[in-house]
């Protein structure tokens, strides 16, 4: 796949962020504030290199399809490594470097004045490198390497403020769950290697004679990885906690790029999935479920970043559903649009949080429209896009593709779920928007009146804010606004790429990428119809949100209403359907119990005790022998006599024997 | 039958004669020399005499002719010379440690007794008939009875008494057995014990049994071992050093000569089975006996019990290889023991603090080199590489396995495992770090003791990497 | 040669009995002197054996051996008595059971 | 024949008396009797020289030595009132075992006669009447063998005696009072106990 | 000849340092001498690829030679040993440094002998010698002497078994000069027992459940520099022996008992990981983690799969590197904070970023982070194991990887992250010497993690090939 060759641009765009990371890590203290621009520059150049690479990849490929492959080195026979640039990886690379660059620039402003300014950019660059490794690798092990490295980067960035116990815990949780995912991919690799004797995508996909059941097993294991990385049920619990990290991190890693790696993986392995209906069904179902659950949970959150986190989870659920059921273009398209608008939403919320000194609880906001008009418009466009209001935002097009695709591939239930979820999405996004920007500012209201029971659970506790940021606002505001402004453009417009069905530029771009299985039956309803239904649901959602939070009466006594809602919030929502508790009991507590049993009892008492006993028994034997040593001569004489007697008996008998 | 004695006969016994005469010279020198130097004069003369004897002995070994002197009473050969040399080594080693023993006015006599007992042991090494065996043994033992009592401690006298009575009892068994053997064979010559008719003679069997009882006592094999720990502990350090090697070496020489050359063909396995069994018991009992001992000499007594068991394991089956390996291990054992005693003597005062293991605690701080050497010798006894003890054990193992006595080899392995633990306890004491251990520490360090310790160290190492087992050592009786 | 009037086996049996009487003496008596005497008994039993057999064989090696044994026994007795004296010179009662410093 | 049995009975009786008498002096007397009977039995076995030696050396020298020592040790102290017996019940099993052993031994040697009788005799000299010269067991016969065939053992006896002489001199010269050394003994014992305690097991 | 220098140079220097009179301690001098010697040893080791030395030692009771030479596996282990010793000595900062460094050097030389030996007897000989320095260091520097005795009892039991098995081998087959000879392949009635003897020694040393209880105590009591070398290299002696002796000469029996080995290995994997999860002593966490990791290698060897073997060799080196790194770092932590308790420690990373970085990389390698050496070993091993048909072991072996992430992060975060602990002293960050000590290890971890191709030069076929059965020159 792809034509072999040496592509300097490829290596350049791949390794530049690494160089940036190393430079920032090694010379951080010397660089001081220059670290930010430097780090951004590395990624920016990498983006340019990507664009150039795009051109280079199209050269000399029949049909202008993109495909470039460069082999690097090999560990042992069968474990050969290389880089692959095809439409899929190109798309991801563009997002990673492009959106990544913008977020870098944003971070210069956002992280300005932080003690570990340079370290932050080192991590950020390192993440970009890791993500590029993930998407550019031409084999599963390379993918796994990238997979693990992005996990590490996210670990570092979530726990960036490592003096916060909550951040540390969140980071560890995220990492461990992701390692569980890695393990899944590892096992898939075992099965692939055992049957194909190679780890390259090409061989694995070209190979047809997998043992019966293995294909499903492989897909399942791969999807475990995907689910862990993309926060799919039930491995999603790390994502909301991951919001402990700085907001740009959430924007880049936990919205735009890393969490969509699962989508990439499934899309990349489309040939495998398209051969196994069960796997498709599984993935699609999980995706749909995640979308729904994420959306529902999104309705019950007060922390602005957690709301966005659950929405991310839900949106990725969409994507997974799309690629799962076989609507690969749709899923990938939603990743594409989502990258823009979700990044924008996060960055917008970042502006708010930044302005309110790390206040993240929407209940203590309100009426910010006047204070932060730019943020308002940024959020507004984002919400419009994510809610999928026809033709006004990118989200509409991609989401529509997925929902329609689900139906086309014969999954009506997922279809329904998709539509309902779209409505809920509109509801909770608008809820966030209205609570935040309409009404009056509630930041000066006493938390208890707002029903905030545990302020420390929401956002950064006030007392640690000094550790994080010595001073705000030294960096010019445009540093944060410009990237958001730039992002607005694709947020609004990019969806048109997907307009036009078969002959849209999007479909053309992916013409040779994905397998096209023939539909069992043409979709019962037309795409237009779907769009209408979705639109209706969305409108309902928005209306409800407006009535509850936006309308004048609601805005009047917002404090009281919010308090009531907080207090009345069903436990199921506040505890996020008890996923956390379940995982904790099933895995964490269980293994700790076993560990205690082994370490505190079995080791010292049983095993070691046995050995000690043998040693003591030797000593006991010693005392036995020495007990003959009474010191009395006559005892010794007696011993001799006994011995002699025994000798005599033996020899007398022996003599009798020989006679 | 009459024998006419020629010079050849006398030169055959030259080494032990030289030793015996040296004793007289020592006594004379003591009478003539002034009081303040006689101690060292005695030591120097004794060492010179022993060295000369050693050279003569080595010469005999090189010329290597086998010769039955005095009508077969003493049989010169590679066998006798090798054992004689080992005994001489023991004598040299212990004379070197004698610096601080006893009272001045009895010193020369002590040395003389040691030399005579040496000559007795050498006589046993070459003994060709029952009389010389008996006389050699008695000469060795009688002198040792006296030597044990040579210290100013009640323990010494007690050990002398115990040794005297028990050993005499054993000698009585031995000599009674000899009587029966004489009755069975009608001759006192070991050569006539090969008479096949004896294989079916009950007197012969019973006589051999009592003879072996005496031998087993001298080898301190369980259950005839009980005297050894007490006697070793009570006797003065150099005497113990000598006893622990010379007695065993000489007795082993007699036993080996009987096993290899003085039995009717074909009954060896059956006749000697009890010896192998007690050897096996000794390997285990000796090693477990070492646990929780508080005196070095006592510890070495127990270890000696086990070591003799190892050596017998090599002799089991009576293969020529076995004898060579046994001699190799005996030599290794000699050096290990003498080395350990030399180190103990280094740190001993007039009351032999150096043998009380309590005084070894934290020794690595006070005398690092001595501690290191002691560690080395103990590890050698335990049979850890890279020491001759290690190689010797492997040789013995091979011998016993090849001779069809694998079970002895297995017992050896078990015993070694136990002994490791026992020796390690001493080492542990030496390397314990408790500064507040108030031990009565005498800083007497005899230069000769140092010298012999170093020599033993060198030999134990050298024997490991140049393992030479003399080849022309098969014993003869005629 | 004329046969012995008494079969040698009887001499052997007699000497065996005496020998073991000596052994018993060593074990049961607590007086070192009597222990030494018992040992003398044992040696003499051996002597009897030698002489009886040398008569049976008409071979005087037995006589020589007996002579040696007598000599050694004498020496042994002398040394033994000396040691006993040094140990028990001023003891209240002469009892080997009191001589048990070293044990274990 | 008769002589043998008489002598045998005397020897056995005196031996048992020797080891069983409560006073060592009686034991010495019993031993004297035993040796005398033994000497007589030597004569019946044509060992005239040894019979004489037996009387001279044993009865004349060794037993006198014993008497001296008894006198020396019992001087001024209660004569051998047996102290507390440290192992009271050892005698019976001991004797029992020994009798068992004895039984086996005699069983074995009862088969011996044939062996010896049938063995080819390697005689050195003719048997003759006791006191006759040059016959088996005579002094001349004995001496010839001693100085030719068995020269080495004979020489070694010299060493043995020398050792005895020197050893006795060295040992008996010791004048350390035992009481004092008993204190010393207690001290040593205490030291050892402390050592064990400190040795920390 | 070069290999002889490799062995003797450290031992001789170490002995000299030991017997020097204990007055006028000069730790700096001792440390520099030790470092220089270790550095020289490393340079020699680099060049020892095809150097060989042989001296006929025994002709009776069997042929034995002091025969040393670097094989395809041992070359890398020797390099690892040299590096670890260098770093460890450089990182030493203890009372009575002279004696300690003397022990370190003796340990290095002895282990050189073990890994370079081409003669079973020499192997066994140096095996026992290599136990002594650790034993004495435990006695002299450890916290409780009881630990030293536990170490002694377990390992000398193993060493004894090894000696006896070697002797039996030589006695039965006439020669022990066989390591690395492809034509040797023994069968016979006694061979199972010989194999068991070898296996016992190897499994105790590795260690493998249930023979491991000496190990956590030893690792936590031994001073960090030495335990770094012990866990990094000494624990590999058993695996090395299993490959070059068990697999090379007695493949039939290794195959026959393969199931047992796999089971023990898997149990060790899970047992170690689970137990590491709840330890509060930082060093014990690592100790149990290496129980887990080495169990993986046992499984790899027992699986008899070429790929797994490749992985095993890679992982042997990788584990050596990261465990040495972690232990040395923990040593630094202990020096600074005077405690190892994860309960008390915390927040060190703020004041010691370099230290945190070093520990971080080592810990990440230990938890098998892709891109570092540990990952390569794990994935290659498990791929091979799975390919060999051991499906369930492969599946079970994946669980500890997740657990490893948990306990290694617990270790790292417990020490470096979280709020600063007030009552702990705040000391300065890594000095440049300490940095140099850690640099080679960290560097090697990264390089080998990216491309371990160099490590895969040896040919597994040479070890598990099935030749015609034949004894050595039979007597």
């Amino acid at each position: 796949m792809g034509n072999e060759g040496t592509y300097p641009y490829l290596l350049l765009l791949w390794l530049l962020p690494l160089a940036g990371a190393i430079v920032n890590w090694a010379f951080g203290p010397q660089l001081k504030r220059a670290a930010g621009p430097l780090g951004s520059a590395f990624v920016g150049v990498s983006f340019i290199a990507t664009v150039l690479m795009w051109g280079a990849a199209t050269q000399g490929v029949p049909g202008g399809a993109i495909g470039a492959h460069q082999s690097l080195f090999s560990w042992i026979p069968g474990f050969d490594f290389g880089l692959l640039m095809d439409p899929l990886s190109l798309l991801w690379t563009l997002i990673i470097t492009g959106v990544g660059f913008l977020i870098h620039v944003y971070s210069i402003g956002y992280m300005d004045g932080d003690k570990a300014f340079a370290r932050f950019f080192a991590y950020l660059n390192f993440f970009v490198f890791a993500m590029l490794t993930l998407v550019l690798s031409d084999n599963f092990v390379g993918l796994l390497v990238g997979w693990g490295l992005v996990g590490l980067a996210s670990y570092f960035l979530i726990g960036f403020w490592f003096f916060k116990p909550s951040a540390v815990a969140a980071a560890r949780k995220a990492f461990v769950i992701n390692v569980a995912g890695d393990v899944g991919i590892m096992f898939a690799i075992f099965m692939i290697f055992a049957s194909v004797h190679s780890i390259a995508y090409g061989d694995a996909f070209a190979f047809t004679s997998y043992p019966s059941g293995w294909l499903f097993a492989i897909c399942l294991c791969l999807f475990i990885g995907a689910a862990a990385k993309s926060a799919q049920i039930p491995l999603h619990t790390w994502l909301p906690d991951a919001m402990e990290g700085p907001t740009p991190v959430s924007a880049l890693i936990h919205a735009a790029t890393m969490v969509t790696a699962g989508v990439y993986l499934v899309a990349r392995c489309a040939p495998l999935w398209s051969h196994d209906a069960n796997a498709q069904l599984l993935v699609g179902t999980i995706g749909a479920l995640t979308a729904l659950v994420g959306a529902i949970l999104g309705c019950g959150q007060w922390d602005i970043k957690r709301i966005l986190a659950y929405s991310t989870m839900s949106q990725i659920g969409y994507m997974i559903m799309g690629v799962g059921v076989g609507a690969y273009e749709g899923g990938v398209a939603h990743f594409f649009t989502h990258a823009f608008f979700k990044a924008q939403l996060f960055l917008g919320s970042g502006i708010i949080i930044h302005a309110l000194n790390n206040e993240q609880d929407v209940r203590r906001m309100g009426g910010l429209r006047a204070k932060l008009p730019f943020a308002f418009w940024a959020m507004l466009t984002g919400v419009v896009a994510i809610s999928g209001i026809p033709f006004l935002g990118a989200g509409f097009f991609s989401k529509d593709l997925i929902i329609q695709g689900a139906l086309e591939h014969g999954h009506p239930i997922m279809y329904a779920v998709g539509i309902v979820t779209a409505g809920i999405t509109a509801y909770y996004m608008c809820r966030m928007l209205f609570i935040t920007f309409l009404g009056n500012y509630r930041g000066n209201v006493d938390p208890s009146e707002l029903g905030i029971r545990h302020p420390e659970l929401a956002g950064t506790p006030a007392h640690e804010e000094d550790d994080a940021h010595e001073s705000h606002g030294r960096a010019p505001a445009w540093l944060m606004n410009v990237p958001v402004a730039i992002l607005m453009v694709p947020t609004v417009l990019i969806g048109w790429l997907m307009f036009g069905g078969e002959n849209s530029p999007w479909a053309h771009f992916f013409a040779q990428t994905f397998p096209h299985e023939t539909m069992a039956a043409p979709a019962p309803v037309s795409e237009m119809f779907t769009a209408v239904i979705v639109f209706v649901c969305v409108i309902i959602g928005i209306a409800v949100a407006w009535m509850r939070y936006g309308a004048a009466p609601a805005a009047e006594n917002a404090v009281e209403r919010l308090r009531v809602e907080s207090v009345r919030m069903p436990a199921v929502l506040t505890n996020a359907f008890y996923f956390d508790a379940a995982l904790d009991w099933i895995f964490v507590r269980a293994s700790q119990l076993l560990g205690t049993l082994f370490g505190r009892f079995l080791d010292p008492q049983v095993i070691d005790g046995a050995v000690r006993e043998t040693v003591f028994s030797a000593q006991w034997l010693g005392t036995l022998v020495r007990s003959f040593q009474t010191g009395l001569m006559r005892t010794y004489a007696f011993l001799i006599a006994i011995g002699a007697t025994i000798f005599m008996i033996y020899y007398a008998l022996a003599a009798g024997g020989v006679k | 039958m009459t024998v006419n004695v020629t010079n050849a006969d006398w030169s055959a016994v030259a080494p032990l004669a030289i030793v015996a005469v040296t004793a007289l010279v020592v006594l004379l020198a003591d009478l003539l020399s002034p009081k303040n130097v006689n101690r060292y004069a005695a030591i120097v003369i004794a060492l010179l005499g022993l060295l000369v004897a050693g050279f003569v002995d080595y010469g005999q070994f090189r010329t290597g002719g086998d010769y039955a002197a005095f009508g077969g009473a003493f049989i010169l050969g590679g066998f006798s010379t090798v054992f004689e040399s080992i005994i001489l080594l023991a004598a040299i080693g212990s004379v070197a440690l004698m610096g601080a023993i006893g009272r001045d006015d009895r010193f020369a006599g002590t040395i003389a007794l040691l030399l005579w007992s040496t000559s007795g042991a050498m006589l046993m090494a070459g003994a060709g008939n029952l009389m010389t065996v008996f006389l050699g043994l008695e000469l060795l033992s009688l002198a040792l009875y006296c030597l044990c009592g040579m210290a100013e401690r009640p323990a010494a006298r007690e050990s002398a008494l115990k040794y005297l009575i028990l050993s005499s009892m054993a000698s009585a068994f031995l000599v009674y057995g000899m009587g029966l053997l004489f009755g069975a064979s009608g001759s006192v010559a070991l050569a006539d014990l090969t008479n096949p008719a004896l294989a079916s003679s009950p007197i012969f069997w019973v006589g051999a049994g009592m003879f072996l009882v005496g031998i087993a006592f001298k080898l301190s094999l369980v259950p005839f071992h009980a005297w050894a720990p007490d006697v070793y502990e009570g006797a003065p350090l150099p005497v113990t050093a000598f006893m622990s090697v010379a007695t065993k070496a000489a007795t082993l020489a007699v036993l080996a000569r009987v096993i290899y050359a003085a039995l009717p063909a074909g009954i060896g396995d059956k006749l000697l089975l009890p010896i192998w069994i007690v050897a096996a018991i000794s390997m285990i009992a000796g090693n477990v006996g070492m646990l929780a001992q508080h005196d070095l000499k006592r510890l070495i007594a127990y270890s000696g019990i086990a070591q003799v068991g190892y050596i017998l394991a090599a002799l089991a089956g009576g293969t020529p290889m076995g004898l060579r390996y046994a001699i190799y291990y005996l030599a290794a054992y000699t050096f290990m023991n003498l080395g350990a005693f030399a180190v103990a003597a280094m740190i001993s005062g007039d009351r032999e603090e150096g043998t009380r293991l309590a005084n070894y605690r934290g020794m690595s701080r006070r005398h690092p080199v001595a501690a290191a050497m002691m560690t080395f010798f103990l590890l050698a006894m335990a049979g850890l590489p890279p020491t001759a003890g290690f190689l010797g054990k492997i040789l013995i193992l091979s011998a016993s396995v090849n001779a069809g006595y694998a079970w002895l080899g297995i017992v050896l392995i078990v015993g070694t495992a136990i002994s490791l633990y026992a020796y390690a306890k001493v080492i542990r004491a030496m390397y314990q770090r408790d500064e507040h251990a108030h031990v009565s520490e005498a800083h007497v360090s005899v230069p000769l003791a140092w010298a012999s310790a170093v020599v033993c160290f060198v030999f134990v190492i050298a024997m490991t990497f140049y393992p030479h087992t003399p080849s022309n050592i098969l014993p003869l009786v005629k | 040669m004329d046969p012995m009037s008494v079969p040698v086996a009887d001499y052997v049996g007699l000497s065996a009995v005496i020998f073991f009487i000596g052994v018993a003496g060593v074990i049961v008596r607590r007086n070192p002197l009597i222990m030494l005497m018992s040992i003398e008994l044992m040696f003499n039993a051996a002597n009897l054996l030698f002489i009886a057999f040398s008569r049976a064989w008409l071979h005087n090696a037995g006589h020589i051996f007996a002579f040696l044994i007598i000599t050694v026994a004498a020496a042994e007795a002398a040394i033994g008595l000396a040691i006993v004296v040094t140990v028990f010179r001023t003891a209240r009662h002469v009892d080997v059971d009191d001589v048990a410093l070293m044990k274990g | 024949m008769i002589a043998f049995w008489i002598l045998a009975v005397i020897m056995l009786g005196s031996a048992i008396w020797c080891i069983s008498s409560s006073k060592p002096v009686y034991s010495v007397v019993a031993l004297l009797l035993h040796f005398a009977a033994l000497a007589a039995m030597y004569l019946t076995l044509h060992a005239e020289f040894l019979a004489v030696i037996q009387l001279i050396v044993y009865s004349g020298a060794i037993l006198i030595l014993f008497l001296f020592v008894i006198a020396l040790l019992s001087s001024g102290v209660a004569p051998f009132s047996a102290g507390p017996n440290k192992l009271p019940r050892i005698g019976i099993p001991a004797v029992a075992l020994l009798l068992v052993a004895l039984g086996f031994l005699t069983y074995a040697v009862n088969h011996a006669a044939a062996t010896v009788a049938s063995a080819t005799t390697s005689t050195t000299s003719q048997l003759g009447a006791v006191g006759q010269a040059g016959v088996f067991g005579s002094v001349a016969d004995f001496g010839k063998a001693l100085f030719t065939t068995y020269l080495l053992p004979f020489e070694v006896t010299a060493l043995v005696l020398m050792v005895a002489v020197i050893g006795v001199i060295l040992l008996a010269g010791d004048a350390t009072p035992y009481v004092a050394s008993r204190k010393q003994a207690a001290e040593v014992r205490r030291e050892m106990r402390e050592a064990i305690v400190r040795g920390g097991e | 000849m070069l290999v002889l220098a490799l062995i003797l140079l450290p031992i001789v220097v170490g002995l000299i340092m030991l017997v020097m009179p204990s007055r006028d301690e000069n730790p700096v001098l001792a440390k520099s001498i030790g470092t220089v010697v270790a550095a020289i040893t490393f340079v020699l080791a680099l060049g020892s690829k095809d150097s060989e030395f042989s001296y006929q030692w025994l002709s009776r009771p069997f042929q034995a030679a002091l025969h040393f030479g670097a094989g395809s596996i041992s070359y890398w282990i020797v390099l690892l040993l040299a590096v670890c010793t260098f770093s460890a000595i450089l990182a030493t900062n203890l009372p009575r440094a002279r004696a300690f460094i003397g022990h370190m050097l003796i340990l290095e030389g002895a282990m050189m002998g073990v890994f370079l030996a081409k003669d079973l007897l020499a192997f066994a000989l140096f095996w026992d010698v290599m136990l002594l320095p650790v034993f004495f260091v435990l006695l002299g520097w450890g916290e409780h002497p009881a630990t030293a005795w536990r170490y002694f009892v377990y390992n000398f039991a193993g060493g004894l078994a090894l000696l006896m098995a070697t002797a039996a081998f030589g006695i039965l087959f006439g020669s022990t000069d066989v390591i690395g000879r492809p034509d040797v392949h023994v069968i016979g009635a006694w061979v199972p027992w010989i194999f068991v003897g070898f296996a016992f020694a190897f499994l105790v040393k590795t260690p493998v459940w249930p023979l491991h209880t000496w190990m956590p105590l030893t690792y936590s009591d031994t001073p960090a520099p030495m335990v770094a070398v012990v866990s990094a290299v000494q624990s590999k002696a058993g695996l090395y022996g299993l490959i070059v002796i068990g697999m090379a000469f007695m493949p039939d029996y290794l195959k026959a008992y393969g199931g047992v080995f796999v089971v023990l290995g898997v149990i060790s994997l899970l047992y170690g990981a689970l137990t590491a999860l709840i330890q509060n002593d930082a060093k014990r966490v690592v100790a149990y983690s290496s129980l887990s990791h080495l169990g993986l290698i046992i499984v790899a060897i027992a699986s008899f799969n070429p790929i797994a073997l490749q992985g095993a060799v890679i992982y042997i080196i990788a584990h050596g590197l990261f465990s040495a790194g972690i232990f040395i770092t923990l040593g630094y932590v202990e020096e600074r904070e005077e405690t190892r308790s994860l309960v008390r420690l915390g927040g060190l990373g703020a004041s010691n970023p370099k230290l945190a970085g070093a520990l971080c990389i080592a810990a990440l390698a230990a938890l098998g982070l892709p891109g570092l050496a540990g990952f390569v070993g794990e994935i290659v091993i498990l791929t091979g194991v799975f390919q060999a048909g051991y499906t369930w072991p492969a599946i079970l072996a994946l669980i500890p990887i997740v657990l490893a992430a948990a306990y290694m992060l617990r270790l790292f975060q417990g020490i470096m992250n979280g709020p600063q602990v007030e009552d702990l002293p705040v000391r300065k960050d890594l000095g440049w010497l300490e940095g140099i000590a850690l640099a080679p290890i960290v560097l090697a971890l990264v390089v080998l993690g990216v491309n371990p191709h160099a490590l895969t030069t040896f040919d597994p076929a040479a070890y598990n090939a099935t030749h015609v059965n034949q004894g050595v020159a039979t007597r």
Side-chain angles (χ1 to χ4, degrees), chain B residues 370-389:
Chain B
M373 278 188 161
M374 183 54 97
T375 309
F376 175 82
F377 289 123
L378 290 179
L379 291 180
M381 292 191 201
L384 282 194
T387 63

Side-chain angles (χ1 to χ4, degrees), chain A residues 87-346:
Chain A
L88 203 55
S89 43
L90 175 60
L91 183 71
W92 251 269
T93 313
L94 285 168
I95 292 292
I96 294 160
T97 50
V99 178
F101 171 67
L102 294 176
I103 294 175
H104 272 72
V105 176
Y106 177 90
S107 314
I108 302 175
Y110 188 86
M111 297 303 293
D112 183 53
D114 192 286
K115 274 182 195 159
F117 191 62
R119 188 161 58 91
F120 181 81
F121 281 92
Y123 291 160
L124 228 47
N125 284 354
F126 175 72
F127 166 77
V128 172
F129 162 74
M131 193 70 197
L132 288 173
T133 318
L134 193 161
V135 297
L136 288 177
S137 160
D138 74 333
N139 63 68
F140 285 100
V141 175
L143 172 112
L144 183 54
V145 171
W147 205 266
L149 289 183
V150 290
L152 177 66
S154 100
Y155 164 80
F156 281 145
L157 286 164
I158 295 170
F160 180 72
W161 290 316
F162 57 73
F163 41 79
K164 285 168 62 179
S166 55
V168 171
R172 184 158 83 220
K173 187 176 178 183
F175 192 83
V176 173
I177 292 183
N178 278 301
V179 168
D182 302 358
V183 164
I185 296 180
M186 240 191 231
F187 196 69
I189 292 174
F190 302 159
M191 285 187 278
I192 291 168
F193 190 90
S195 40
V196 188
H197 299 294
S198 158
I199 54 171
Y201 291 142
D203 311 338
F205 300 155
F207 191 78
T208 55
S209 58
Y210 287 100
S212 67
W214 276 41
L215 199 53
F216 178 73
I218 292 173
C219 292
L220 178 64
C221 293
L222 286 175
F223 183 66
I224 292 174
K229 192 63 77 186
S230 298
Q232 297 301 294
I233 289 174
L235 299 178
H236 64 281
T237 55
W238 62 273
L239 185 56
D241 300 3
M243 295 303 135
E244 290 286 344
T247 312
V249 175
S250 315
L252 176 59
I253 299 184
H254 305 118
T257 53
M258 183 188 89
V259 287
T260 61
V263 184
Y264 170 81
L265 179 60
V266 181
R268 170 61 75 194
C269 299
L272 298 179
W273 255 275
S274 53
H275 285 107
D276 191 298
N278 297 336
Q280 286 189 314
L281 185 62
L282 174 82
V283 174
T285 318
I286 297 282
L289 212 56
T290 310
L292 189 59
V293 169
I296 294 173
L297 288 176
C299 307
Q301 296 302 319
W302 295 115
D303 181 326
I304 186 166
K305 286 178 71 178
R306 280 176 165 266
I307 296 172
L308 291 177
Y310 278 112
S311 85
T312 310
M313 171 180 158
S314 158
Q315 297 304 311
I316 298 168
Y318 269 116
M319 305 174 205
I320 293 286
M321 183 173 92
V323 291
V325 297
Y328 300 106
E329 288 92 344
V332 173
H334 198 53
F335 147 73
F336 191 59
T337 54
H338 174 264
F340 294 111
F341 59 68
K342 184 52 64 69
Q344 181 182 351
L345 281 168
F346 266 113

Side-chain angles (χ1 to χ4, degrees), chain D residues 185-198:
Chain D
E187 172 191 346
V188 172
R189 234 185 269 117
R190 204 186 60 252
E191 276 182 7
M192 285 183 171
R193 225 176 287 114
E194 284 169 1
I196 296 165
V197 174
R198 266 193 271 105

Side-chain angles (χ1 to χ4, degrees), chain B residues 10-25:
Chain B
W10 293 112
S11 62
V13 294
L16 63 105
I18 291 169
V19 173
V21 172
T22 311
L24 295 171
V25 177

